């Protein structure tokens, strides 16, 4: 764990406002020098307007503490109440590590009101171990660099509880969030402890979306490729077959959410691009094809490969019309998500990618910050380099630069407060570019455990140059691109 203190100071004239530059999980102390005992109000928060912390209908931090300032110079600890998740005891949540010495909250701003005189405010930032120098990305596009820095910091700042959490609204690990968060962490720092702990959490606590349980084998495969830790994967193989959800099969090997397990497609609902639900749905079954293939890669057991191919053919027979797949049998509608996952999990044939790519491009960013991960992966897989960079550096409402313009310094749960009013601003599932830039723009992806071997397939678009450093368990890989050529330097420690 890492803890460090930042200080701001000044002379107050009734109302004081301090900005620490970026939000971070931490605690606060205030040093006051008073001529007499009196009540002082201290406020911490994540968003502001015109030098005042905002308190809006959302899950962004807004906490007030009233301190009795005693005569003389004294230091007071700001009281952060014990955390309780949005849904109470319905879902388990990760506790604050005792090593931090109390509860933490994400905040950037501090107000001190009803006080006159010299004062100091000290924020102690709390996070898990992190090496900022382990990864580097710089390019000829300042906006792309800005998005990288924003998303890398988001992975770092939310890595505070020892698990990949979904944000400060629930502080619970979800497989969907973990897919993005884990890949981002692997691309930014070769530290695998949080990933191990999170997978161990899922062994006993699978979450409710159909697709996210199906991500479990894919999480294990990615973990193995980046870490090389076969022992942990062998331990997880005892429960991973359960996450193939054989008990949810309804016909021809296809599954549908039942009981507490429900098909999610994407979240929030306005980000589903009009998806038409049926008895069985294309997207969760595409995830299942991916999960079966991941199980084959992890075990070498050909039965998983055969099941994946059989399910693919059933899906093509029942949910494919002309050039495009349908959301569900006889739906008569193709959402962005159905087209994206047809490519992402190999339901589409190579000859069909051009038509699917054209359709995907026509839909824009009609998905959530979570769905954007898969959309941009597919842009890379379909060779749409220009569109990949266009989406990464866009400035519209559904963009990472828009999040920054809105005042967030950690990625949001949704693209905008108007799309998801009750969101938090500490959601690393919004930090997909932390892995998309290394894996698809740079094009560096491991093909054997522990980065023993890798593929380099750059998608630079109109970039004139870039440099990326990938941390690995035994050193780093530097990729340099300039004048249309890529070169690699590998350093073994």
């Amino acid at each position: 764990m890492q803890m460090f203190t930042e200080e701001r100071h000044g002379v107050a004239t009734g109302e004081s406002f301090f900005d620490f530059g970026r939000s971070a999980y931490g605690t606060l102390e205030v040093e006051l020098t008073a001529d007499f005992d009196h009540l002082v109000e201290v406020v911490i928060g994540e968003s502001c307007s015109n030098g005042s912390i905002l308190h809006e209908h959302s899950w962004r931090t807004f906490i007030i503490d009233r301190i009795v300032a005693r005569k003389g110079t004294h230091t007071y600890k700001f009281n952060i109440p014990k955390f309780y998740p949005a849904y109470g005891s319905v879902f388990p949540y990760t506790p604050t590590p005792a090593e931090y010495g109390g509860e933490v909250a994400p905040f950037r701003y501090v107000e001190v009101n009803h006080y006159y005189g010299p004062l100091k405010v000290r924020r102690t930032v709390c996070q898990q171990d992190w090496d900022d120098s382990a990864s580097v990305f710089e390019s000829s596009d300042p906006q792309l660099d800005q998005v990288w820095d924003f998303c890398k910091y988001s992975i770092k700042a939310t890595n505070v509880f020892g698990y990949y959490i979904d944000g400060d609204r629930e502080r619970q690990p979800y497989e969907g969030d973990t897919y993005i968060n884990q890949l981002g962490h692997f691309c930014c720092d070769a530290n695998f402890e949080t990933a191990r702990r999170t997978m161990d959490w899922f062994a006993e606590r699978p979450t409710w979306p159909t697709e996210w349980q199906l991500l479990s084998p894919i999480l294990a495969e990615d973990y193995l490729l980046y870490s090389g830790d076969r022992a942990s994967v062998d331990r997880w193989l005892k429960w991973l077959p359960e996450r193939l959800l054989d008990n949810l099969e309804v016909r021809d090997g296809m599954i549908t959410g039942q009981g507490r397990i429900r098909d999610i497609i994407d979240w929030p609902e306005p980000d589903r691009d009009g998806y038409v639900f049926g008895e069985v749905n294309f997207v969760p079954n595409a995830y299942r094809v991916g999960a079966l293939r991941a199980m084959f890669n992890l075990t070498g057991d050909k039965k998983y490969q055969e099941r994946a191919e059989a399910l693919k053919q059933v899906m093509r027979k029942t949910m494919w019309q002309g050039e495009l797949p349908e959301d569900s049998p006889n739906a008569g509608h193709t959402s962005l998500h159905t087209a994206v996952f047809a490519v992402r999990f190999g339901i589409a044939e190579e000859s069909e990618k051009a038509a699917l790519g054209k359709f995907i491009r026509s839909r824009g960013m009609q998905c959530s910050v979570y769905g954007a991960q898969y959309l941009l992966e597919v842009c890379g897989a379909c060779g749409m380099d220009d569109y990949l960079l266009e989406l990464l550096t866009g400035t519209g409402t559904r963009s990472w630069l828009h999040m920054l313009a809105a005042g967030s310094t950690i990625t949001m749960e949704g693209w905008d407060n108007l799309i998801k009013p009750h969101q938090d601003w500490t959601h690393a599932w919004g930090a997909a570019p932390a892995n998309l830039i290394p894996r698809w723009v740079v094009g560096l992806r491991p093909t054997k455990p522990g980065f023993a071997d890798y593929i380099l397939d750059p998608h630079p678009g109109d970039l004139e140059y870039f440099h990326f450093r990938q941390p690995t368990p035994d050193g780093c890989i530097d990729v340099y691109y300039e004048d249309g050529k890529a070169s690699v330097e590998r350093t073994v420690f």
Side-chain angles (χ1 to χ4, degrees), residues 311-342:
L311 179 55
K312 168 185 171 177
Q313 295 306 324
V314 169
M315 293 175 65
R316 291 183 60 84
K317 180 179 179 181
T318 59
M319 291 184 280
W320 206 285
Q321 293 293 328
E323 292 184 323
L324 299 174
E326 294 183 296
D327 298 341
S328 54
N330 303 312
H333 181 266
T334 302
S335 68
L336 172 67
H337 301 74
T338 293
V340 163
F341 286 103

Side-chain angles (χ1 to χ4, degrees), residues 17 47-54 56 109:
F17 180 82
S47 55
C48 79
S49 178
N50 298 319
S52 181
I53 295 175
L54 288 175
E56 298 178 329
Y109 304 106

